[in-house]
């Protein structure tokens, strides 16, 4: 089965806790939430009670943080909301859902990244064909584009004292490369 991007929703910008509007995630077998924030304590939850796993965390305390959390083989349907909660600081957050992602076992193949004070990660080479590659970025600045064949899900400019700048994108890689 081919991987397909189904839809997306923003959780918003601000501090403490953000909850999305209601969405219909029917048909999804993989959910992802990206949060760009300036904090150290962070959780993701949803109205369907799914278990959220950490896909990637690039953290240097006191700097912009990017985190991607995911739920595979989730409970989905109408009236689905997503929440990201911080123990302080401010954030920008988005959710996206896909179908056709491996569900027999945890689909996380690899991760790579860098905290705000280092150069970007060198990339990954999936071990099998037909992989979903997610990319998140958080910065104390503006995020306007991504390259390398990725499709932007969302971008948000930095607003001092309100939210981090950030971006969330995906690539459906049919052949491991």
């Amino acid at each position: 089965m081919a991987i397909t991007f189904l839809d997306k929703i923003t959780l918003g910008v601000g501090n403490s806790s953000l909850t999305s509007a209601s969405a219909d995630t029917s048909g999804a077998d993989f959910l992802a939430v990206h949060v760009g924030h300036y904090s150290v304590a962070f959780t993701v939850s949803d109205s369907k009670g799914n278990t959220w796993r950490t896909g990637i965390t690039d953290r240097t305390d006191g700097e912009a943080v990017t985190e991607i959390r995911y739920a595979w083989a989730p409970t989905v349907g109408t009236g689905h909301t997503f929440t990201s909660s911080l123990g302080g600081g401010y954030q920008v957050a988005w959710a996206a859902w896909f179908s056709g992602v491996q569900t027999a076992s945890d689909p996380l193949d690899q991760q790579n990244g860098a905290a705000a004070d280092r150069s970007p990660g060198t990339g990954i080479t999936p071990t099998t064909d037909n992989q979903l590659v997610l990319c998140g970025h958080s910065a104390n600045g503006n995020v306007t584009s991504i390259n390398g064949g990725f499709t932007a899900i969302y971008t948000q400019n930095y607003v001092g004292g309100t939210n981090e700048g950030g971006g969330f994108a995906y690539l459906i890689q049919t052949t491991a490369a």
Side-chain angles (χ1 to χ4, degrees):
M1 175 191 278
I3 296 172
T4 303
F5 169 78
L6 297 177
D7 211 346
K8 62 187 178 181
I9 195 164
T10 183
L11 280 67
V13 299
N15 58 16
S16 298
S17 184
L18 301 174
T19 299
S20 72
S22 179
D24 183 358
T25 56
S26 297
D29 55 23
F30 185 84
L31 310 171
V33 171
H34 171 264
V35 178
H37 62 93
Y38 192 85
S39 180
V40 294
F42 167 74
T43 61
V44 166
S45 60
D46 69 332
S47 61
K48 303 291 185 184
N50 288 301
T51 299
W52 291 88
R53 292 164 174 80
T54 300
I56 189 165
T57 299
D58 287 331
R59 176 188 304 270
T60 297
D61 292 345
E63 295 184 8
V65 177
T66 192
E67 299 196 40
I68 296 175
R69 303 281 172 96
Y70 67 98
W72 57 276
T75 300
V76 296
T78 59
H80 204 156
T81 61
F82 301 88
T83 300
S84 62
S85 300
L86 298 177
Y90 44 92
Q91 64 179 318
V92 58
W94 309 279
W97 46 100
F98 301 81
S99 66
V101 176
Q102 168 192 307
T103 58
S105 61
D106 189 338
L108 181 63
D109 181 42
Q110 300 176 44
Q111 65 170 326
N112 190 2
D117 62 344
R118 297 190 300 260
S119 299
T122 57
I124 61 170
T125 302
T127 57
T128 62
D129 293 342
N130 200 30
Q131 293 286 329
L132 172 63
V133 181
L134 297 173
C135 176
H137 176 72
S138 178
N140 292 335
N142 295 335
V143 177
T144 58
S145 66
I146 187 166
N147 58 20
F150 281 84
T151 300
I153 297 170
Y154 281 109
T155 61
Q156 172 68 45
N157 288 334
Y158 169 78
V159 178
T162 301
N163 64 271
E164 292 296 324
F168 188 29
Y170 73 94
L171 172 70
I172 298 171
Q173 194 171 49
T174 57
T175 303

